[in-house]
Amino acid sequence: MRLKVKVPGSCGELVQGIYRGEPILITCPIKKFSTVEVSDEFFCVEGLGEKSLLMLEKILDLLQVEKNFGIKLTSEIPKSKGMASSSADLAAVARAVANFSNKFLSTLILAEIAAQIEPTDGVFFDGVVAMNPVTGKLIKNICLQEKFSVAIFDFGGEIDTLNFNRRSDFKIFELETDLNFDLVEKSALANQKILYKPHLEDIINFAKNLGAVTVNVAHSGTVAGIFFHATDKFIDKKISEIQNRFDCIKFLTLTEVIGGGFYD
């Protein structure tokens, strides 16, 4: 028997700050995945890092099952860029083991366990959500009114996301059920005091003049996302214009904003 579970990564966060006295982030799931395969046809453990191995240990203990299977993890999500690679890994490991063992594991419990290991991104919740990255608590479902393509650019370097996500000096925001794109940009610019990204305001203005919808950042990472309507036929040309204008960023990939959750 073989079983696979995929969990998406993210393009940073749409918003990160404080909401009603607690840390929040609004997820930004994208079409890039961590994939975990569990099988009784092999018994090796491949691709799991320290945090994923800890999640495996915790889930086996919680579900009270023995490890009579092999497990392999592969990922197309860049590491240490603020793209939720660890959160996707942890969630995919937990759900794959639970499904293989015919055990129920709620997403809320999984989120609590993931947050015990490190502050977590909620890419494993269905859709787009506001959640507490420190506790894993689900706060609010957020509605996106249309489909978006997102061009992801990297400012370079690597970030220890654990330290940044434990900060308490994020801006205080109010949240609506429908996503407020002005809030996305305000959150990105407010984060400049915490993790500076060169020429970010100029990049935002330039991109919006080209027809971009909004620009977000990884608040504890090195990437920014430039959002375009999915129907825009000139995205490739606009990406080239942005890259040619700003040598402080490097184009990584063009992808889609999707719903979070678990994929087979």
Side-chain angles (χ1 to χ4, degrees), residues 25-46:
L25 67 78
I26 298 180
T27 58
C28 184
I30 58 171
K31 199 173 182 180
K32 299 288 181 182
F33 297 92
S34 285
T35 301
V36 169
E37 179 181 14
V38 178
S39 176
D40 56 10
E41 298 173 15
F42 59 84
F43 295 95
C44 59
V45 176
E46 291 185 9

Side-chain angles (χ1 to χ4, degrees), residues 115-133:
Q116 292 170 9
I117 296 173
E118 68 168 4
T120 188
D121 190 296
V123 287
F124 41 79
F125 285 110
D126 290 339
V128 173
V129 303
M131 52 86 64
N132 185 324

Side-chain angles (χ1 to χ4, degrees), residues 12 121 124 168 205 217 247:
D121 190 296
F124 41 79
S168 60
N205 292 332
V217 299
D247 58 9

Side-chain angles (χ1 to χ4, degrees), residues 100-112:
F100 185 84
S101 304
N102 292 315
K103 298 282 188 174
F104 174 73
L105 176 65
S106 76
T107 305
L108 293 175
I109 294 298
L110 188 158
E112 290 180 11

